[in-house]
Amino acid sequence: MKENSIPEPNHFLEEIVAADLAAGKYESILTRFPPEPNGYLHIGHSKSICLNFDLAAKYGGKTNLRFDDTNPSTEETEYVESILADVRWLGFEPANIYYASNYFDQLYEWALQLIRMGKAYVDFSTPEEVAAMKGTPTEPGTPSKYRNASVEENLEQFERMRKGDYPDGHCTLRAKIDLAAPNMHLRDPYLYRIKHAHHHRTGDKWCIYPMYDWAHGQSDSIENITHSICTLEFIPHRDLYNWFIEQLGIFPSKQYEFARLNLNYTIMSKRKLLQLVKEHHVSGWDDPRMPTISGLRRRGFTPESIREFARRVGVAKRENLIEFSLLEFCVREDLNKRALRRFAVLRPLKVVVTNFPEDQVEWLETENNPEDPEGGKRPIAFARHLWIEQDDFMENPPPKYFRLSPGNMVRLKSAYIIQCEAVVKDDAGNLTEVHCRYIPESRSGADTSGLKVQGVIHWLAEGHTQTAEVRLYDRLFQVEDPAAEADFKQALNPNSLEYIPNALVEPALHVANAQDYFQFTRLGYFCLDPDSTEDKKVFNRTVTLKDSWSKGQKK
RNA sequence: UGGCCCAUGGUGUAAAGGUAGCACAGCAGAUUUUGGUUCUGUUAGUCUGGGUUCGAAUCCUCGUGGGCCAACCA
């Protein structure tokens, strides 16, 4: 690649790649996304996925997906499948799909090599003993009594570990590095532990499994990964990463670290997300309130909006807590352009148009998407009996209330202007009907009435509706940073989900497909939930529309 | 009190010794048959103290604040 063809970098990792390319250090770059298949991917992972794939694509390289499956007790095939599906849904296709477990044989050979070099030993100390012998950050560690066993002895014991002569936890293989190192990770780290567990890929072939540090850098090296990008908490591991590669004399992959994504009002810990699932605080990993990719997908977020979000949050090394409103902005921006407009009345209030004939239906039309000139129009029925949103009528309105109230006029979108003449209440004093007259000369597109009204509301004609269930979501937690709470579950928002079992929607929604994105006019963006049946559709609210009215009211 | 990483408006992120910019959020206005969209304007920032320099967000340094590290997790 010629120097003048190297794209302009936009963040420090791109600068590193651009500089490496300019210096001729690599002909092309290779990155990897290395999830552990012990849970579903979340929005934080999407930052890492976009970073790795986009970085490689921008600089003419490729990206592998590698499952970091070195711990059989927490990993499952279900997670492998969901991760791959999520990566693809986001719009990325890995150059290769690999597993760290593919390299178990090689890793084992390298462990033997390290033992022969006198740089690894089998230790029969208990975890507590090892912890004590590690010292503290200010005091050096003390050597284990097994540290100076002969190469032959270590080879023999490691072979017995591998053969299954010992129960779980009986001993470990440790690297012999530096017990006085200020970096605690260099104080003779564990390489292998015994786990008589069934592995999702290798089955029962092994009863010893490599630790992260022993597996990760070498896996990168085997694949010739040039830039191994991980999060900040792995910074102290970098010395170890380099040490192993140097000792083995293998391809020198390099590790770089960036700050992971944090989103306010939610959590990113897979452990905690698993807890929410297992304890049924949510319906599953794909509950639309979850920050998982599958949850966001079910909620109605588009892959494009998530990629745009990942681009906008930037890449740097300082800790951050991104505002949820940025994600909302990204999805609204995308959905505004593509979502089909439809009328839906969530909480119906009956309107009787007193001067419209009882048995007549007038067919009007309204646009499918005002942002899309090619979007076309659809017919809507107008009749004497209508439904409007309860929120769109107030008997005693505050100042600047533009909707319907006694004596006031409002435009029924794409139809007529109506004026409220009377309200009807039941014996208990509850509002049951609003009586209005319509202005025949005010028909949309043919308005000769000369009237100016400020409010425009959505509506449906009685008998020309379908009943649907609508699910409204709010933030899952009521505090900005639930992870900082003593008990994050105490911070759960009890009102994060509201069911509206009998909302009215226009008949056109009967043919809604799972991949459709809708805007229920004036209410927000919605999508079809997989819980839908032929008889009853279920819609999820992705996000509300921006609402400068209710915002002003709350003040 | 060992080592490492970090510090720019409310939130993110640029500025590689030379006018502190952009986005989101906020506020105000214009347009609008979605109180949406679009457009315009606007509020608000270099953690503190020293030093180097003609000139410091940037380099050095004393602090301060935040984060990470002593799992048979990744």
Side-chain angles (χ1 to χ4, degrees), chain A residues 409 411 415-417 437-454:
Chain A
M409 290 187 175
R411 156 84 57 189
Y416 295 94
I417 292 172
R437 72 182 182 99
Y438 86 112
I439 317 297
E441 305 78 44
S442 67
R443 184 157 58 92
S444 252
D447 189 346
T448 56
S449 71
L451 294 169
K452 276 274 182 202
V453 295
Q454 291 192 95

Side-chain angles (χ1 to χ4, degrees), chain A residues 230-241:
Chain A
C230 61
T231 48
L232 257 24
E233 65 269 27
F234 290 95
I235 290 176
H237 295 252
R238 190 174 58 222
D239 288 343
L240 234 198
Y241 182 104

Side-chain angles (χ1 to χ4, degrees), chain A residues 36 69-75 104 158 161-162 167-174 190-196 206-215:
Chain A
E36 183 189 9
D69 55 352
T70 56
N71 185 356
S73 21
T74 56
E75 296 153 5
F104 282 176
F158 188 47
M161 276 175 70
R162 201 211 96 240
D168 286 7
H170 188 69
C171 56
T172 59
L173 184 71
R174 296 176 70 188
Y190 294 123
L191 267 32
Y192 275 95
R193 76 287 217 187
I194 299 172
K195 270 179 191 277
H196 292 269
W206 298 91
C207 64
I208 57 170
Y209 290 94
M211 300 292 292
Y212 165 84
D213 287 305
W214 181 247

Side-chain angles (χ1 to χ4, degrees), chain A residues 286-307:
Chain A
D286 70 342
D287 186 299
R289 293 166 294 179
M290 291 281 271
T292 50
I293 309 277
S294 51
L296 292 167
R297 175 168 59 230
R298 186 167 174 184
R299 175 86 169 250
F301 282 76
T302 61
E304 291 80 3
S305 67
I306 293 173
R307 278 190 262 134

Side-chain angles (χ1 to χ4, degrees), chain A residues 68 72 181 239 247 283 311 332 346 361 401 485 518 540:
Chain A
D68 218 342
D239 288 343
Q247 295 302 316
S283 64
R311 193 186 66 73
R332 285 189 187 115
L346 267 32
V361 173
Y401 183 80
E485 298 292 301
F518 300 104
N540 292 321

Side-chain angles (χ1 to χ4, degrees), chain A residues 21 53 89 124-125 131 141 219 255 287 308 315 360 457 475 491 499:
Chain A
L21 256 15
F53 279 90
W89 178 77
F124 293 85
S125 308
S219 299
Q255 174 183 306
D287 186 299
E308 175 64 12
V315 178
Q360 189 174 319
I457 64 173
R475 50 178 62 133
Y499 286 100

Side-chain angles (χ1 to χ4, degrees), chain A residues 498-519:
Chain A
E498 181 182 359
Y499 286 100
I500 300 194
N502 294 304
L504 301 176
V505 301
E506 62 176 270
L509 283 168
H510 186 62
V511 293
N513 292 308
Q515 63 279 11
D516 290 338
Y517 298 103
F518 300 104
Q519 182 196 107

Side-chain angles (χ1 to χ4, degrees), chain A residues 163-428:
Chain A
K163 281 197 313 198
D165 285 358
Y166 300 127
D168 286 7
H170 188 69
C171 56
T172 59
L173 184 71
R174 296 176 70 188
K176 190 195 283 190
I177 308 181
D178 178 4
L179 290 170
N183 181 345
M184 299 296 288
H185 291 274
L186 262 19
R187 320 245 277 218
D188 289 12
Y190 294 123
L191 267 32
Y192 275 95
R193 76 287 217 187
I194 299 172
K195 270 179 191 277
H196 292 269
H198 187 83
H199 187 278
H200 75 112
R201 302 260 317 166
T202 60
D204 297 313
K205 177 175 177 186
W206 298 91
C207 64
I208 57 170
Y209 290 94
M211 300 292 292
Y212 165 84
D213 287 305
W214 181 247
H216 203 93
Q218 286 93 304
S219 299
D220 285 340
S221 180
I222 289 168
E223 296 177 18
N224 284 336
I225 300 297
T226 54
H227 301 264
S228 177
I229 298 167
C230 61
T231 48
L232 257 24
E233 65 269 27
F234 290 95
I235 290 176
H237 295 252
R238 190 174 58 222
D239 288 343
L240 234 198
Y241 182 104
N242 292 335
W243 191 86
F244 289 139
I245 283 177
E246 204 175 303
Q247 295 302 316
L248 299 172
I250 56 181
F251 179 83
S253 299
K254 294 291 180 191
Q255 174 183 306
Y256 302 94
E257 311 85 11
F258 73 102
R260 66 166 0 120
L261 170 76
N262 296 294
L263 237 199
N264 67 4
Y265 297 103
T266 192
I267 50 172
M268 292 297 170
S269 153
K270 274 197 276 186
R271 204 193 93 248
K272 287 175 179 165
L273 291 172
L274 211 211
Q275 217 176 323
L276 292 181
V277 172
K278 284 201 163 153
E279 296 172 14
H280 304 290
H281 293 104
V282 294
S283 64
W285 283 99
D286 70 342
D287 186 299
R289 293 166 294 179
M290 291 281 271
T292 50
I293 309 277
S294 51
L296 292 167
R297 175 168 59 230
R298 186 167 174 184
R299 175 86 169 250
F301 282 76
T302 61
E304 291 80 3
S305 67
I306 293 173
R307 278 190 262 134
E308 175 64 12
F309 175 71
R311 193 186 66 73
R312 283 177 181 255
V313 296
V315 178
K317 294 188 77 162
R318 72 187 90 119
E319 299 285 339
N320 59 76
L321 184 60
I322 308 289
E323 292 180 344
F324 200 86
S325 60
L326 182 62
L327 219 205
E328 292 184 329
F329 169 82
C330 292
V331 74
R332 285 189 187 115
E333 182 187 45
D334 189 29
L335 256 18
N336 178 50
K337 288 179 297 191
R338 62 203 286 184
L340 293 171
R341 271 58 170 177
R342 293 291 183 259
F343 286 171
V345 177
L346 267 32
R347 300 173 182 86
L349 171 63
K350 187 160 191 173
V351 168
V352 179
V353 184
T354 53
N355 57 339
F356 196 88
E358 184 79 53
D359 50 3
Q360 189 174 319
V361 173
E362 179 174 356
W363 286 93
L364 304 166
E365 53 180 23
T366 187
E367 66 273 2
N368 287 318
N369 185 350
E371 303 298 315
D372 177 8
E374 315 277 282
K377 297 191 171 197
R378 67 186 188 283
I380 43 169
F382 184 80
R384 179 179 170 94
H385 295 276
L386 306 176
W387 299 108
I388 66 168
E389 207 69 61
Q390 286 172 20
D391 282 351
D392 288 337
F393 177 84
M394 279 188 97
E395 201 171 357
N396 300 297
K400 298 214 178 141
Y401 183 80
F402 296 159
R403 283 109 95 154
L404 200 61
S405 59
N408 260 17
M409 290 187 175
V410 74
R411 156 84 57 189
L412 296 176
K413 181 160 174 63
S414 299
Y416 295 94
I417 292 172
I418 56 171
Q419 181 173 32
C420 174
E421 296 177 308
V423 298
V424 179
K425 294 181 178 179
D426 63 16
D427 294 343

